[in-house]
Structure formats: C-alpha cells, structure tokens
Amino acid sequence: MAVVFQKTKGLTDKQTHYCPGCTHGIIHRLVAEVLEELGVLGEAIGVAPVGCSVLAYEYFNCDMQEASHGRAPAVATGIKRVHPDKVVFTYQGDGDLASIGTAEIVHVAHRGEKITTIFVNNAIYGMTGGQMAPTTLIGQRATTAPLGRTVEHSGMPLRVSEMLATINGAAYVERVAVNTPANVRKAKKAIKNAFQCQLDGKGFSIIEVLSTCPTNWGMTPIDALKWLENNMIPYYPIGNLRTPEVEE
Amino acid sequence: MLNERVICAGFGGQGVMLIGQLISYAGMLENREVSWLPSYGPEMRGGTANCSVMVSEKPIGSPVITDDATAAIIMNLPSLAKFEKDVEPGGRLLINSSLIEKKATRDDLQVYYIPANELAVELGNSRVSNMVMLGAYLELTKIVSIESVMKALKKIFGPAKEHLMPVNEDALRKGAAAVRQ
Amino acid sequence: MAKILMKGNEAIGAAAIKAGCKYFFGYPITPQNELPEYMSRELPKAGGVFLQAESEVAAINMVYGASGAGARVMTSSSSPGIALKQEGITYIAGAELPCVIVNIVRGGPGLGGIQPAQSDYNQVTRGGGNGDYKLLVYAPANLQEMVDLMQEAFDAADYYRTPVMMVGDGMIGQIMEPVEFKESVSRFELPEKDWATVGTGNKRKPNIANSLFLDPAELEKHNVKLQEKYATIKANEARYETYNLENAQLVAVAYGTTSRILRNAINELKEKGIEVGMIRPITLWPFPEEAFDQIPASCKGLLSVEMSMGQMVDDLKIVSNGRWPVYFYGRSGGMIPTPAGIIGKIEELIGGAK
C-alpha cells in the first residue's frame, strides 16, 4: 500500500496539550516539515517561549531551550553567536513577542541576527486565560477588556511585522495565516523562505502567523477560522513585507 | 619603613591620574607593593580629578587615604581646598604656584611652591606641568627613581607616543631641580 | 610571568579570557564599564565574541542561550543592573547552566549612586530571583585574589552547573594594582557538556535547557536535587581568611575592600594593645561558618563591618547562634569606612564590655 502521508520527523511522538481547534499544531507541523525538508533538523536549535507554546520543546524533535517570557530572541542570539553554523529559531506568541518581548524582538532584528522567528498572533493571551494583548482588535473582548478593547484606553492594535519591516537587519518579513488549506500552503512556503534566508546568511527573518484561539475567543473552531478571516486579516494584511531581493 | 600615601589632584586633563599611575608603576618595577585608586564618576570630566597612590614595603591594606596622606601633589586651587586637610602633620604639600596664588593655610606641613606651568613652557610643552610636579615630588621623597618612572612611562605611552619621552624626562629633571636649591 | 599594573575591571576581563571565557554579553553601567570595553577589544583576539545587548535583561538571557549551547560565558553589571538580571539568573540556576556573573557593586536603593558599596549582600547571598536557589559567590579583597579566583569561578560553574557570581565593590573595579597571571591547574575534573544544545546531528535524542516543571512532584524532585547540589557546594567551596584571632577580645567580620580597611584598624589597635580578630569571608555564599569555630574563648562579641546598613548581621547572628552578641558598624551610599571610624566603634564596644 502506498504511503500518502507521513508525520514529519521534525516532531516528537508526544501528544500536544493544545486545545481542540487551536492552530498551533498546524504551525508546529509546518516548521518541523520545513526543517526536515531543508535537511537541517539535526542542526536546528529552537527556543520555546512563555505562553501556550511554552511546551514546544517537548514537540519539536531537535535541541531546544526554554526562554523566559519575551526573551527568546536574546536566548537565540546567545546560541547563534556560539554556533553561527547552526539553524536557530524562536517560536513565540503575541503576548511574548509583541508585549513583554518588544525590546528583544526589535534588537534581534536591529542586529540582523541570523535567526528565524515564528510569531504566532492570535490576538490574545491564551495560556493565562484570555487577557488583552497588544494585538487584540478594537472591540474584541478579553478578560482584562471585558467590554471590548477601545482605542481611548489601550490604543490601536500593534502591527509588529510592519514595524520590524522598517528595520534594516530584518531581511525577510512576511505575514501569513493558517485559516484555509491554501493559506496553510502559503504559510509553509513563507516559513521555508525564512529559514532559507537564515541559511543564506542574509539576516533576521520572521514569519507572523495569524492563528486562532477558539477557547479564549469563545467560538467553535470553524467560527474562529471565519472570525480570523473577517476580522484579523483586514487589520493584519497577509503578504510579504520584506525580502532580501528588494535590498539593493 | 617605607609606606607612602600620596594624593594627586587637579583639573581633569592636567595629567594627575597619569602621574599617580607612574608612581605606582615605577614602585612595582622597584618591587614595592603599590595601589592606585582614582576618583570616578561625572565629576571627572572637566571638574577635579584625583587619585590616591600607595607605595609600601608591606602589602597594601586599605587603598583609601583618609587624613593620613604623606604627601599631596596639588595642581589647581579647588584641589588645595579639598585635600590640604588630608595630609598628615609633617607631610609634604606640593603646590602648582602657576595656577594657585593662595598659600597653604596649615603651618605643620612641608610646603613647596612649584611654578609647574612656567617651567613646562620653558621646555616648550605646557602639557608636561604634571611631570614637573612629579619630578619635584620624586626629588623630595626619593620614593622611586626617575629611571623607573621613565620605564613606566614607556610602557604606558607605547610606541605611538615614544617621541614625547625626552620632553617628559626633561620635565621630571626640571621639577627636581626646582626643589633642590 | 611578571607582574603587571592593571585596573580592576580590566584585570577581571584578562583573567576571564585566560580562564577560557569565550563569550561576553553586557550592557553599560558605571562603575564596571572598563570590563565590557576590555572584552570588546580583547575577546575577538582570543577567538571569542563580545556583544553589547539592548538591556541587562537581554544580556543575561544571551548568557542563558550561550551557556545552554555549551559555551564558557560571562556577563557583568553593577547593582541595579544585577537586579534586572535576576530574571535570567534564576532561569540559569533552574536550568542548571553554568556562567560567571561579575557584580561591581554601587550604592542603592534605586538608582542610588555610583560610588563603592556592598549593599548587594542580600541580593547576592539569598539567591536573588524567585525560587529556591543559591549562587556561589566570591568576594575577593584585592586584584590578585580576584584574578586567582576567576579560573576557579568558571570551573566551579561548569562542575556544579550553576551560576557563579564574582562580587567587587566599585573600588575593586577602579583600583590599579599589580597582578600576576599564574598558571593554575583546575582542581575540578570537568566532564563533557553532553547536555548542551548544539544540534542533535540526527544522532541522539534532543537536549533541552529548561526550568519548567508543570508537574509539582517533578518540580519538587528537581528542587531536592538542587538542594543536594547546594549542600555539596556548601561543604566544599566555603572560603575564608582569618587574621589575628588569637586572644581576640572581639572578632570583626568584613569582606572585599572593607576587610582591607578593617585590617589597618586591627593593626593600629594591636599597637595600642587591643586584640581584635578578623574573619574575612572570601565566599559570601556559602558563608564560611567553619571559621567561627576557631574563635577563641577570649572573644566577647562579633562586629560586622560593611559598606552597607547591616545586611551581613543576619548571617553573623545565624552563625553565632547565641554564642556571641553581634554588633554592626558600616557606612553606606558610597561613603567608605575609615580605620578611625572602625577603631572608634571597637573601642566603644570593648570599653562597654569591660
């Protein structure tokens, strides 16, 4: 019988703790498949964040370090400076990267650190129970914005990728979504480009992945995917924001 | 027993830190125990700079001088006001009279007035006034030899400033002559 | 090798490089700036990497990453900067990674001042961050001792897989003294770092640097293991010097530069016929409890002499355990104790004891 699908070697056999309908699983698989397809799984060193994906070190089948909240880019910097020939990546959520870790993500880009960041944006703090994130949309409810986020109180949601794309050291910046099979395929291509950018020594690369949080959004997985499409993508447009080729 | 505790003080840029380092370095070359402790912080820029230097036959205990300096080399007026009181009775107070018109207020010190800037200008380099003061100090105390100081200076200057060695040595000798009488 | 005259902060850097330190991540703060400056100049020549981080927090997390990746790595800062680093330090302790952290202490609290102080005693001896952990803390009194201890600091960090702190006050950072870089043989047998994250090479199971244990039983087990390690460190690594203990009427305790000032005071008192002993902790943790068993019966009390407001008094009371009354003399904020000030306090105490 022909094998039509096989789990990537890039993931361990450990069952994940993610909620039903959460898209972290898809994104994990994409990263793992890319590492395997690029033939760098044995050279990869990943850094897990604090947040829902805190246990990512149990799922990626490569050497991993667990960072404190927001500091994954600094930890990755330490690793990459010691092993410039290895493939180093961080996997971070939007609380971790866009709030407490803004200094670290800005400066890893600023230095043009040759690492890859997978930035999972689901517009909310998942692990701690649905608090407002800098990426939470206007009107979106959160446990710390019970009536919905307002501009007056909390400002407009932060578009991290656009901000990072202004930094010279950020060689590859792209926002993708994993709400449809087509978008998942595009996301994988972008993730592969980002790692290739690292392998080519071009600079820092980051892929922002728009993701769902059915549990904290209070929706079914299907509704969550629709909400992503109707609310997140209009504010956080998907597409490439920077590639090495546009550099002179 | 040799246990010299000297304060070098003046404006930032007068080279007081350097002469303190030279005393320490030369002392080390002569197998003495030495330490050099600078003042540090924002007041170092443009304001007063000073360092405490110890040269001893025994290991240095406290590197801090507190009203027990055996000598003070004073390059500007604010430093005179600040450090005159820190010299122990009978100690030496060397005053750069080119920039300090006032006299010492204490009468229990050996006070020397050295027109260091004028003497440096006579050598064609006003910047070696610190070395004039150091020369005077070495002549009075014989803590270390001029030869050791020149060896230390060579190490500190490195090849880039080697051409400045002769004028610095001249300044040391001129300062020594000024207090020899 | 001949002696050379070096500034404290630079001597620390030179000693670290000689001890095999290859990576340095730091952030500017007075009075330790000459150390990162020295490393930026000298570390590349030794085949290493210096990187100025965007903050102390980032710097210590870079240390975490580099250490987890198997490197011999160091960072340095001064008191408020060390407070910022505590987040990373507890993670490093929790993940059992080795590193050396230099703390050139300045006055606090808050922004405090930039002059020498010892007011980080609690910050460095009580762990510092969250959780049950300790740092091995060296507090040398002069540059030669600092240089001599550096190899040991790195070796102990690797051997015990634990963060080690080298504490100096501002004076230790700024002073110039002759130092000699001696050849030393490590007293530790250091195993391969087979736990490091260097890539699996598809040949082994992944290595993970981590301090997260969501299962309470696992976390407790981890903590018990850490405590066993700290017990071993306590048994093996406490260091101290005693001075003039014989017939001492009083034993004064001081570390770092303060111990040098105290020594002057003790010598002056001896000339007056007053016998005061000194115990100088070289390790602040483990606190050298054994030294206090050598105190003679003539001793009527302990005196903590500090450039802080009595932070070491607690440890003296613990080690005294009722054997002696504990007194305190200290200056703070960058004011430096004088021999005369110490003598005054001791005469007052001994006069009172008679």
Side-chain angles (χ1 to χ4, degrees):
Chain A
M1 209 167 71
V3 176
V4 292
F5 179 82
Q6 215 168 6
K7 186 174 80 65
T8 168
K9 289 189 180 68
L11 292 176
T12 63
D13 291 333
K14 178 104 181 168
Q15 191 180 339
T16 76
H17 68 289
Y18 297 115
C19 301
C22 172
T23 44
H24 265 306
I26 296 171
I27 304 164
H28 277 32
R29 197 191 85 209
L30 297 183
V31 173
E33 283 177 357
V34 164
L35 291 173
E36 188 185 7
E37 287 166 21
L38 289 172
V40 296
L41 192 59
E43 313 304 314
I45 306 163
V47 183
V50 171
C52 281
S53 46
V54 67
L55 294 173
Y57 59 81
E58 293 194 347
Y59 310 139
F60 286 112
N61 192 18
C62 61
D63 279 0
M64 294 290 292
Q65 293 198 22
E66 170 56 43
S68 50
H69 205 192
R71 318 299 177 216
V75 172
T77 297
I79 299 169
K80 187 72 179 189
R81 294 288 174 141
V82 174
H83 298 295
D85 54 331
K86 304 289 178 184
V87 177
V88 179
F89 69 96
T90 72
Y91 188 103
Q92 303 173 257
D94 48 317
D96 187 272
L97 183 144
S99 189
I100 194 169
T102 43
E104 285 76 13
I105 196 66
V106 165
H107 286 279
V108 80
H110 156 231
R111 289 188 301 269
E113 215 67 60
K114 294 170 188 67
I115 69 156
T116 300
T117 290
I118 308 301
F119 167 36
V120 180
N121 179 3
N122 60 9
I124 203 142
Y125 280 78
M127 189 209 210
T128 46
Q131 293 82 9
M132 189 185 74
T135 45
T136 296
L137 295 176
I138 298 302
Q140 186 185 342
R141 287 175 192 234
T143 56
T144 50
L147 304 176
R149 177 174 180 160
T150 64
V151 181
E152 294 72 24
H153 191 266
S154 309
M156 290 294 285
L158 190 62
R159 292 189 183 101
V160 173
S161 290
E162 281 81 351
M163 175 177 76
L164 293 177
T166 67
I167 299 173
N168 280 333
Y172 192 95
V173 183
E174 186 160 333
R175 185 183 288 120
V176 298
V178 287
N179 59 322
T180 66
N183 277 345
V184 169
R185 281 193 292 276
K186 282 186 203 157
K188 181 171 174 182
K189 192 157 184 294
I191 291 169
K192 201 171 217 171
N193 288 343
F195 277 101
Q196 191 61 51
C197 174
Q198 176 179 172
L199 290 169
D200 295 343
K202 297 262 172 69
F204 174 65
S205 51
I206 179 167
I207 303 301
E208 175 177 347
V209 187
L210 300 181
S211 176
T212 62
C213 183
T215 300
N216 287 303
W217 291 358
M219 296 176 197
T220 67
I222 302 288
D223 287 346
L225 292 171
K226 280 187 206 145
W227 192 87
L228 187 160
E229 182 163 1
N230 296 332
N231 296 277
M232 288 188 76
I233 293 177
Y235 189 80
Y236 299 115
I238 55 177
N240 185 273
L241 290 156
R242 192 151 173 163
T243 65
E245 285 72 32
V246 301
E247 304 290 315
E248 43 186 321
Chain B
M1 192 186 66
L2 176 68
N3 186 7
E4 182 76 358
R5 301 174 297 277
V6 55
I7 294 168
C8 308
F11 289 125
Q14 276 184 310
V16 292
M17 299 308 218
L18 176 66
I19 59 174
Q21 283 182 22
L22 288 171
I23 298 167
S24 306
Y25 212 129
M28 184 185 76
L29 293 175
E30 295 185 7
N31 294 315
R32 305 295 193 191
E33 301 287 342
V34 299
S35 69
W36 173 90
L37 184 67
S39 64
Y40 62 89
E43 79 278 10
M44 277 168 64
R45 276 81 181 179
T48 61
N50 69 82
C51 58
S52 305
V53 175
M54 306 235 168
V55 182
S56 176
E57 282 169 28
K58 292 211 300 187
I60 309 285
S62 168
V64 182
I65 296 175
T66 40
D67 62 36
D68 62 346
T70 52
I73 301 172
I74 303 295
M75 297 284 287
N76 70 348
L77 184 61
S79 299
L80 179 63
K82 193 169 177 187
F83 294 110
E84 183 180 2
K85 62 176 172 26
D86 289 335
V87 182
E88 65 182 12
R92 295 185 175 90
L93 185 61
L94 284 76
I95 295 175
N96 176 11
S97 56
S98 301
L99 297 183
I100 306 169
E101 287 177 11
K102 282 176 80 170
K103 300 291 175 197
T105 55
R106 285 172 60 179
D107 56 10
D108 59 344
L109 303 177
Q110 308 174 55
V111 185
Y112 304 87
Y113 298 95
I114 301 129
N117 290 59
E118 276 98 327
L119 294 174
V121 168
E122 281 174 24
L123 292 169
N125 189 333
S126 61
R127 294 185 60 188
V128 293
S129 59
N130 60 336
M131 300 300 279
V132 172
M133 294 298 285
L134 177 58
Y137 168 77
L138 296 179
E139 175 67 21
L140 293 169
T141 60
K142 311 284 186 197
I143 292 297
V144 290
S145 68
I146 286 185
E147 288 67 37
S148 297
V149 169
M150 291 309 293
K151 266 190 221 167
L153 189 63
K154 193 171 174 181
K155 295 231 180 193
I156 291 174
F157 270 7
K161 288 190 183 169
E162 182 125 17
H163 64 285
L164 293 171
M165 294 285 288
V167 70
N168 278 280
E169 183 161 359
D170 290 348
L172 286 174
R173 298 202 185 280
K174 199 148 187 133
V179 291
R180 198 175 295 132
Q181 309 301 323
Chain C
M1 227 181 109
K3 284 186 176 178
I4 47 175
L5 191 68
M6 278 188 101
K7 198 167 198 181
N9 283 329
E10 298 198 334
I12 296 167
I17 292 173
K18 191 171 171 293
C21 173
K22 278 281 192 298
Y23 299 89
F24 183 97
F25 302 95
Y27 186 77
I29 183 170
T30 306
Q32 59 86 57
N33 292 317
E34 295 86 353
L35 174 50
E37 286 165 3
Y38 180 90
M39 294 308 245
S40 72
R41 194 167 70 236
E42 299 298 329
L43 205 43
K45 294 182 199 164
V49 174
F50 163 88
L51 189 64
Q52 182 171 320
E54 62 269 30
S55 67
E56 284 92 349
V57 178
I60 192 69
N61 280 288
M62 290 174 187
V63 168
Y64 177 101
S67 176
R72 196 160 255 212
V73 57
M74 178 165 109
T75 186
S76 68
S77 192
S78 177
S79 311
I82 294 293
L84 280 168
K85 283 184 198 289
Q86 294 294 3
E87 173 197 271
I89 296 172
T90 171
Y91 275 69
I92 290 169
E96 296 194 81
L97 299 176
C99 71
V100 172
I101 301 148
V102 176
N103 182 4
I104 303 297
V105 181
R106 57 187 258 184
L111 203 44
I114 58 171
Q115 298 302 322
Q118 297 182 314
S119 43
D120 280 5
Y121 186 84
N122 284 341
Q123 182 175 217
V124 305
T125 59
R126 266 58 186 162
N130 61 304
D132 286 308
Y133 75 94
K134 294 284 191 182
L135 306 176
L136 172 52
V137 184
Y138 295 99
N142 57 57
L143 296 195
Q144 187 62 54
E145 188 172 55
M146 171 83 87
V147 160
D148 291 344
L149 284 172
M150 195 53 90
Q151 179 80 42
E152 177 136 340
F154 276 102
D155 289 349
D158 276 351
Y159 182 77
Y160 294 108
R161 289 182 58 184
T162 198
V164 172
M165 189 173 278
M166 186 69 74
V167 169
D169 54 69
M171 261 184 287
I172 287 283
Q174 297 297 323
I175 198 171
M176 284 182 100
E177 287 185 324
V179 288
E180 187 179 0
F181 292 91
K182 301 165 194 160
E183 289 308 319
S184 62
V185 182
S186 177
R187 60 186 178 85
F188 297 99
E189 252 184 64
L190 300 177
E192 283 292 304
K193 295 181 176 179
D194 57 5
W195 44 264
T197 63
V198 297
T200 62
N202 301 315
K203 291 189 181 96
R204 57 160 170 77
K205 289 206 171 278
N207 284 337
I208 297 168
N210 176 40
S211 63
L212 178 70
F213 297 84
L214 287 174
D215 177 353
E218 286 297 311
L219 180 54
E220 185 183 53
K221 210 168 97 186
H222 179 60
N223 270 311
V224 168
K225 182 180 148 210
L226 288 179
Q227 289 304 313
E228 284 165 2
K229 171 160 83 179
Y230 300 139
T232 310
I233 294 174
K234 199 169 169 180
N236 295 338
E237 304 303 332
R239 284 176 163 242
Y240 60 91
E241 182 201 354
T242 60
Y243 181 66
N244 203 47
L245 280 190
E246 207 180 329
N247 301 321
Q249 297 162 257
L250 183 87
V251 171
V253 183
Y255 65 92
T257 307
T258 309
S259 70
R260 299 170 64 155
I261 300 165
L262 174 61
R263 194 183 301 258
N264 283 22
I266 287 171
N267 291 341
E268 282 184 44
L269 284 164
K270 203 177 179 68
E271 284 171 20
K272 294 188 192 179
I274 300 172
E275 295 295 341
V276 173
M278 173 165 75
I279 291 175
R280 175 172 77 88
I282 298 172
T283 53
L284 301 186
W285 195 90
F287 195 72
E289 294 173 5
E290 175 196 301
F292 293 79
D293 296 334
Q294 300 168 26
I295 292 177
S298 55
C299 174
K300 299 285 185 287
L302 302 180
L303 175 67
S304 182
V305 184
E306 313 171 16
M307 282 194 273
S308 48
M309 299 307 279
Q311 294 190 28
M312 195 167 59
V313 167
D314 286 354
D315 277 340
L316 293 194
K317 285 186 176 168
I318 291 166
V319 75
S320 168
N321 199 15
R323 286 183 283 179
W324 308 279
V326 176
Y327 306 102
F328 164 69
Y329 178 79
R331 301 296 302 272
S332 98
M335 298 302 292
I336 295 162
T338 60
I342 297 170
I343 288 167
K345 179 70 184 182
I346 290 173
E347 286 181 333
E348 174 197 316
L349 288 173
I350 287 182
K354 271 177 188 167

